[in-house]
Amino acid sequence: MRLRHAMVAIAGAALPLVFAGTAQASDSVTFPLNELNGSGAHAEATLTVMDGDLHVQINGEGFTPELVHAQHIHGAVNGTEFVCPGPELDTNGDGQVATEEGLPAYGDVFVALTTEGDTSPASGLAVDRMPVADADGTITYDRVIPAEMLPAGTIDNLANLHIVQHGLDVNGNDAYDFESLGESVFAASKGVEGVPEEATNPATCGMVMPHGGVETGGAGTQGSEQLPLAAFGGLALVGAAGAFAVRRRLARQTS
Ligand SMILES: [Cu+2]
C-alpha cells in the first residue's frame, strides 16, 4: 500500500516534470524473458502505461518455428510476490517445469496476451489468437490493451506480475506432439483435452520487477534491480535521476 500511495502522490505532480516534453504522462519498463525448460528461446518485453491502457511489446527469438506460443501475464494483485520457477519445481521429475508445476511460483494466468479480442484468463488457451513464431523462430507481439479490459489493480501491481510464454519442441521433431511428454495436464485441468504438454510448458519467463527490490524493503539494495520499479512510479523512492537513467536505457534499446 505504501507503494500505491507513493504512485498516487507523484502521478499528479512529479511525472509531468520528470517527463516534460512527452505528449502525455507515460511510463515504460523493459525486461528480459529468460529461457525455461531448455527451450532455447528468449525475449524482451516492454510494458508502457499510457492513461491506464497497457501497451505490451514482446520481441523474442529461438522459439519453435511456425508453431503457436500462448503467452500470458501471470500473477495476482493481492500483494503476493511471484518469481519465475526454478528446476526444483519439476515435481514429477520429467525434466520440465510444466505450467501447473510453475503456478505456485508465477501465479495463475492473469491476462491472456492474445493478438485480438478477449484477454481474460478464459482466453488463456485461445491458440487461434496467440502469436505464431515465424520460420526463424521469431515472435513479435505488439498490442495495446485498453484500461477497461485490464483486471482491477493491474497497473498498480505491475511490479508483482510476470510474463510467461509457452510451447517448446522437446523431442526436436518440429511439432507439438505426445511422444515426449504426453498430454497437457494444465490444459486438461482447464477442460481442454488433447493438447500436448509440449504446447503448454513454459518456454520463457520474465519478472516485471526482479524479486527483492523496493517493494520488499528487506535487502535495501539500490542497484539496477530497482530501475524497472522506478518506471512504474517508484520515482519518489528512487529519485528522478534513476528515472532518467531508465529512459536513456530504453531509448538505447529501442533505437
Ligand atoms: Cu502462461
Side-chain angles (χ1 to χ4, degrees):
M1 288 306 102
R2 184 177 52 187
L3 172 61
R4 178 176 299 183
H5 290 156
M7 292 175 67
V8 171
I10 64 164
L15 281 179
L17 298 174
V18 171
F19 298 132
T22 56
Q24 47 193 326
S26 67
D27 283 309
S28 194
V29 61
T30 297
F31 54 99
L33 309 183
N34 298 313
E35 173 183 15
L36 275 183
N37 291 324
S39 67
H42 63 98
E44 185 174 78
T46 298
L47 301 180
T48 305
V49 178
M50 180 80 76
D51 293 335
D53 299 340
L54 185 62
H55 186 189
V56 182
Q57 296 164 286
I58 301 174
N59 293 295
E61 58 188 17
F63 291 88
T64 308
E66 299 180 328
L67 291 178
V68 66
H69 293 271
Q71 55 182 21
H72 318 108
I73 296 176
H74 282 252
V77 294
N78 60 6
T80 303
E81 289 179 349
F82 294 101
V83 296
C84 287
E88 70 278 4
L89 290 182
D90 173 23
T91 51
N92 71 354
D94 68 352
Q96 296 266 304
V97 178
T99 292
E100 71 279 2
E101 289 173 328
L103 289 179
Y106 51 56
D108 212 338
V109 173
F110 188 66
V111 174
L113 295 175
T114 54
T115 54
E116 61 182 4
D118 179 62
T119 57
S120 76
S123 291
L125 292 170
V127 292
D128 57 331
R129 292 184 290 114
M130 287 293 181
V132 177
D134 70 11
D136 296 322
T138 298
I139 287 179
T140 303
Y141 178 79
D142 191 315
R143 182 173 183 187
V144 176
I145 302 175
E148 61 269 23
M149 290 177 65
L150 295 171
T154 298
I155 301 300
D156 284 350
N157 290 275
L158 273 179
N160 285 335
L161 300 175
H162 300 65
I163 291 178
V164 182
Q165 295 172 290
H166 302 260
L168 70 164
D169 174 25
V170 174
N171 55 351
N173 64 351
D174 301 325
Y176 297 147
D177 61 75
F178 300 94
E179 300 297 325
S180 54
L181 299 175
E183 183 174 1
S184 170
V185 174
F186 176 73
S189 76
K190 300 293 184 183
V192 183
E193 308 286 342
V195 177
E197 184 92 323
E198 286 187 335
T200 59
N201 273 11
T204 75
C205 179
M207 296 178 260
V208 175
M209 187 187 77
H211 194 59
V214 168
E215 184 88 13
T216 64
T221 58
Q222 293 288 330
S224 59
E225 283 184 340
Q226 295 185 1
L227 291 180
L229 181 63
F232 278 119
L235 302 177
L237 300 172
V238 180
F244 278 118
V246 171
R247 302 296 288 191
R248 283 197 300 271
R249 182 165 58 88
L250 293 176
R252 282 200 304 273
Q253 288 172 347
T254 55
S255 61

